[in-house]
Amino acid sequence: MTGFKHGGQKMKVLIKYLKNWRMYIPFLFFYLELVFHLYMKLDMSYAVVFLLLSFAGGMICAGILFFLPEKPARIVGIILSVGLSVLFVAECICKDILQQYYQIFSGAETAAGNHLTDYASAVVQSLWDHKIGIFFLLILPVLVLAFFMKILDPAGQKKKRKSNSRREQKLKRMRRKAAVARGIAALIVGAAVHLLALAVIFILPWKGDFTPEKLYQTDTNIDDQVEQLGVITMLRLDVKHRIFGVPENALPEIDDTAALTVAGEKKEEEKEYPYNALDIDFEALKASAPNNDSAWLDEYFESVVPTRQNEYTGMFEGYNVIFITAEGFSGYMIDPEITPTLYKLSHEGFVFNNFYSTLHFTSTSGGEFQNLTGLYPKAGFPVSMTETGVQKTYLPFTLANQLNGLGYTSIGFHFNQNMYGRELSHPNLGYDWRQFTECEHPLTAEINDYGNAYWPQSDDYMIEQTFDDYKDLQPFHVYYLTISGHLPYGFEDSQMSARNKELVEDLPYSEKTKAYIAANLELEKGLTRLVEYLEEAGIADKTVIAMAPDHIPYSDLDVLEELAGHSFNADSLENLDEKTVDTDVYRNTWILWSGSMEEPVVVDKPCSQVDILPTLSNLLGLKYDSRMLSGTDVLSEADPIVIFFSNSWLTERGMYNRYTGEFEPAQGVEMTEEEEKVYVENVKYLATNRLKLAQLIIENDYYRQAVK
């Protein structure tokens, strides 16, 4: 009986302990993480990790609140609870609109530098679309918090009057000691649960290319961090890494046999062509390398076999170059009747039948980075393109920097406000950069009858207003970053869609899809005008036009599915989940055309945006080092690797799914089990390295060390 009585007393103490409103906090952390994962349809196989971590974090926060007097504790508790709920909702909106989760510090810096009014209508629409998530992640938790604070008053809060008697003072001190004891207990429990979570992370034999252990020690692959570790831990790690830096992970050992894969097998007739490589003594560089990262880059680049020049080398040497990054563009909309100029340029020049615009970090800026540098952006903050401008990173292989050395005039245009720090990054790429603000030659926006600037601006208007700025400055290199195809797509939301509404009214599509096509008709008009201007100036046959998207309209997969005429097997039309999605969703159009081409050149190799720069560099006869880029000259004998955001990849020989660890050979490709194993490991090695090159190059300003 004594033991039973003693146990009953313990239970009463526990119940009394749990009845304090502060104990709502750990359950809120647990609840938000669980609901978020269910609502966003994330993989629940890591639930034991992110739920333990979230509960531990909540217990530690609750423990700290016990040390505060009641009134300050309530204020802090309200701010913490409401703020955390708002953060979870914000992550839903960011993932919906920008296709990425945001880290608390680095992401806030990027957002602060951008004009988010451009996304106002998209944010409003996203908030409405996520009304159910907002209820369960924000409204319901706030209501429950209010209930807890109202009902679960701590001892002594209901007293009607103050008393200064010794007895009351003694009771007050006792309550304070009890609160401190509770706080200590909560901290101990929180620490114990956190240690248990770490044991689960670091001891359990997790399988796959990305594991909780790996993600816990990095500031990249934010989507995987959120899925496996949770939103709260992702945000906490961002703070930790901001203060203490990122743990230095071991770099892969250099594998010479893997590097050979990129070059393909040397053919007899290929021997007459020299390599696209500079004379760089990597051994000497490694001997004097300032740090391990630079030494690893020296060793890796030395191990890579360069691509060879080929029959197309110098085909466009001395030509004017116009490069266009097309906002939110998908080749599924190209039609010979609706978009005749897009159809002409994509079918009468180089025709890339298996081009992919794979989604990587920071949407437009990440797509631009791939197009202009031949590298993949870091899968996390800081934004790679922005960082090159802030750090003034030496980038000798960009088209503008290469062509400027040959006497070209290089100008870049974007009819929009300053975004992603382009006032620093794009001059560093080699352009006389022109936008609406924060540049030496600001552009003037097109305005309506009321004196207000259109949103988005017209790509056709951009071409009309700028062609005279460069037509007589041959040889010239012009870069256009378009804007007409910017989301959201609706005749009420986009003034470019509204402008072309009559042209799409009879198309057999939904209103949103017709609005998407209508917005992009401004790009069609602009390209038509550009070709006409070049022909009138007599320079079409001495000019090459290259165009690639920054990314697909990733928030509107229903539009893509309607245009393509089939489903892409996505669990959600708001979030691209590469575990299940058909990678044909990324299939796109890369235009590479010149008026001098008498017949099309068809290329069937799988390729992607990072392959544009090395391919163009070879066509222009430029001296560059093919080993030092993530992309590959598609016209060479090398085998390009299309690397997806998830680290799955595609080559001529097959597709690798990093979630299942399975490789599916392409049709007609036969390999023994051993050959397949070796091939997959080699390409995985190359894909991993290519994804990290930009981060290491930017952080160490590596090109400045290696390329003189």
Side-chain angles (χ1 to χ4, degrees), residues 435-450:
Q435 54 190 14
F436 289 166
T437 59
E438 300 179 58
C439 64
E440 190 173 343
H441 302 101
L443 302 169
T444 302
E446 182 184 14
I447 59 176
N448 59 23
D449 294 338
Y450 302 99

Side-chain angles (χ1 to χ4, degrees), residues 170-344:
K170 183 177 180 181
L171 288 173
K172 186 176 181 180
R173 287 194 296 271
M174 289 176 63
R175 286 195 296 269
R176 190 76 207 120
K177 288 181 179 179
V180 170
R182 289 176 175 179
I184 293 172
L187 291 176
I188 292 173
V189 171
V193 175
H194 186 73
L195 288 174
L196 177 60
L198 292 180
V200 170
I201 290 171
F202 288 95
I203 296 176
L204 288 189
W206 297 100
K207 295 181 180 180
D209 296 338
F210 287 85
T211 63
E213 178 182 0
K214 180 177 181 180
L215 295 168
Y216 196 82
Q217 302 177 80
T218 183
D219 64 341
T220 61
N221 302 97
I222 306 306
D223 279 36
D224 290 293
Q225 274 193 344
V226 167
E227 184 166 68
Q228 297 187 27
L229 306 177
V231 173
I232 295 168
T233 300
M234 180 273 285
L235 297 174
R236 178 178 64 79
L237 289 175
D238 182 48
V239 176
K240 174 186 173 183
H241 294 151
R242 188 75 173 194
I243 298 172
F244 301 106
V246 184
E248 187 172 329
N249 294 321
L251 294 165
E253 293 185 11
I254 304 303
D255 185 344
D256 292 339
T257 61
L260 289 173
T261 307
V262 70
E265 296 180 3
K266 300 180 182 64
K267 296 184 178 180
E268 198 66 32
E269 63 271 20
E270 186 187 8
K271 292 182 179 179
E272 63 184 271
Y273 294 114
Y275 289 116
N276 270 319
L278 303 178
D279 185 13
I280 300 175
D281 188 344
F282 288 109
E283 280 294 325
L285 285 172
K286 184 179 177 182
S288 60
N291 54 49
N292 290 337
D293 287 349
S294 294
W296 183 88
L297 288 169
D298 294 328
E299 189 175 357
Y300 173 70
F301 289 137
E302 185 179 32
S303 74
V304 175
V305 177
T307 56
R308 287 186 179 272
Q309 297 177 12
N310 47 71
E311 60 182 301
Y312 299 103
T313 301
M315 178 177 174
F316 296 140
E317 186 171 357
Y319 278 41
N320 303 309
V321 182
I322 299 175
F323 194 110
I324 302 167
T325 292
E327 170 65 44
F329 182 77
S330 171
Y332 285 121
M333 68 156 284
I334 296 177
D335 181 90
E337 300 297 327
I338 303 170
T339 57
T341 300
L342 278 165
Y343 188 85
K344 168 188 171 73

Side-chain angles (χ1 to χ4, degrees), residues 494-508:
S494 168
Q495 290 175 300
M496 292 304 105
S497 294
R499 175 176 291 183
N500 296 307
K501 184 176 182 179
E502 292 183 3
L503 299 176
V504 300
E505 279 183 333
D506 296 330
L507 296 179

Side-chain angles (χ1 to χ4, degrees), residues 2 5 69 135 202 297 427 476 639 659 678 686 699:
T2 304
K5 184 178 180 180
F135 174 78
F202 288 95
L297 288 169
F476 58 75
D639 185 6
Y659 296 101
V678 171
L686 289 169
E699 290 176 354

Side-chain angles (χ1 to χ4, degrees), residues 352-371:
F352 300 96
N353 286 327
N354 290 293
F355 174 75
Y356 293 80
S357 53
T358 60
L359 184 66
H360 284 271
F361 206 66
T362 57
S363 58
T364 295
S365 183
E368 267 197 294
F369 189 77
Q370 293 177 75
N371 288 347

Side-chain angles (χ1 to χ4, degrees), residues 476-589:
F476 58 75
H477 167 39
V478 170
Y479 174 60
Y480 285 119
L481 175 58
T482 75
I483 194 69
S484 294
H486 201 286
L487 58 76
Y489 307 115
F491 296 113
E492 300 297 325
D493 300 315
S494 168
Q495 290 175 300
M496 292 304 105
S497 294
R499 175 176 291 183
N500 296 307
K501 184 176 182 179
E502 292 183 3
L503 299 176
V504 300
E505 279 183 333
D506 296 330
L507 296 179
Y509 299 120
S510 66
E511 285 293 294
K512 187 200 283 190
T513 299
K514 286 192 283 189
Y516 173 75
I517 295 172
N520 280 284
L521 286 181
E522 288 302 298
L523 174 61
E524 164 71 15
K525 292 177 183 177
L527 288 171
T528 302
R529 184 185 298 275
L530 179 60
V531 173
E532 289 175 354
Y533 281 173
L534 291 171
E535 290 174 345
E536 289 171 3
I539 56 175
D541 61 349
K542 285 295 291 181
T543 301
V544 58
I545 296 176
M547 190 189 90
D550 54 352
H551 54 73
I552 60 172
Y554 47 72
S555 290
D556 299 277
L557 290 189
D558 48 345
V559 169
L560 286 175
E561 289 182 331
E562 193 170 4
L563 290 171
H566 62 84
S567 170
F568 293 115
N569 193 35
D571 288 339
S572 168
L573 294 182
E574 296 171 352
N575 302 292
L576 280 176
D577 185 351
E578 291 188 352
K579 288 195 246 2
T580 59
V581 73
D582 180 352
T583 53
D584 274 358
V585 71
Y586 297 119
R587 195 180 285 272
N588 218 315
T589 297

